[in-house]
Amino acid sequence: MANDDTNGRRTGDRMSDATKDMSLEELREEIEEIDRELVELIARRTYVAGTVAQVKEERDLPTTDESQEARVMERAGQNAETFDVDSNLVKAIFRLLIELNKVEQRENR
């Protein structure tokens, strides 16, 4: 199932109309822009996770919340299906993000 992203491009298609007429260099530039956006999103997520860690510390809550992690993983799988991306790959990425955030939370306590 493919969807339009915020820029009107089709996501989830292997070769959409928007990209099939692009040169190799243009495609690489597109990947470079996507990579930059991914890093920006990871930075935002890390910042918010850090704020969550502060709230947990103030409320004397444990670093690990398995039910929340399960919800995040479920949501990741659903989003992967929506955008026709391998859910195992997406879940692996999210598992890594979660583990890195937990390590950072533990180190800052």
Side-chain angles (χ1 to χ4, degrees):
M1 168 187 284
N3 295 301
D4 289 333
D5 73 3
T6 57
N7 296 317
R9 296 173 295 215
R10 297 292 284 173
T11 56
D13 291 339
R14 294 293 177 231
M15 182 66 90
S16 69
D17 289 338
T19 58
K20 71 179 180 183
D21 294 328
M22 296 173 76
S23 70
L24 181 59
E25 185 59 33
E26 289 170 325
L27 290 167
R28 287 179 174 160
E29 288 172 6
E30 179 80 4
I31 288 174
E32 185 176 330
E33 176 61 21
I34 292 166
D35 289 349
R36 188 199 64 74
E37 292 171 9
L38 285 170
V39 171
E40 181 181 0
L41 290 171
I42 291 169
R44 283 179 50 201
R45 189 182 195 287
T46 301
Y47 173 79
V48 173
T51 305
V52 167
Q54 290 174 346
V55 170
K56 285 180 178 180
E57 186 173 15
E58 289 168 4
R59 297 179 184 177
D60 199 31
L61 297 171
T63 300
T64 300
D65 181 345
E66 292 180 9
S67 64
Q68 176 61 18
E69 290 178 27
R71 287 189 296 273
V72 170
M73 297 304 288
E74 177 67 22
R75 192 171 55 238
Q78 291 171 350
N79 286 331
E81 289 178 19
T82 297
F83 291 99
D84 195 27
V85 178
D86 183 302
S87 65
N88 289 325
L89 171 63
V90 171
K91 287 179 179 181
I93 292 168
F94 273 83
R95 174 59 51 211
L96 179 60
L97 290 170
I98 289 168
E99 290 304 318
L100 291 172
N101 288 145
K102 289 194 307 190
V103 166
E104 188 172 317
Q105 286 180 28
R106 284 187 203 107
E107 289 175 354
N108 292 328
R109 279 195 163 197

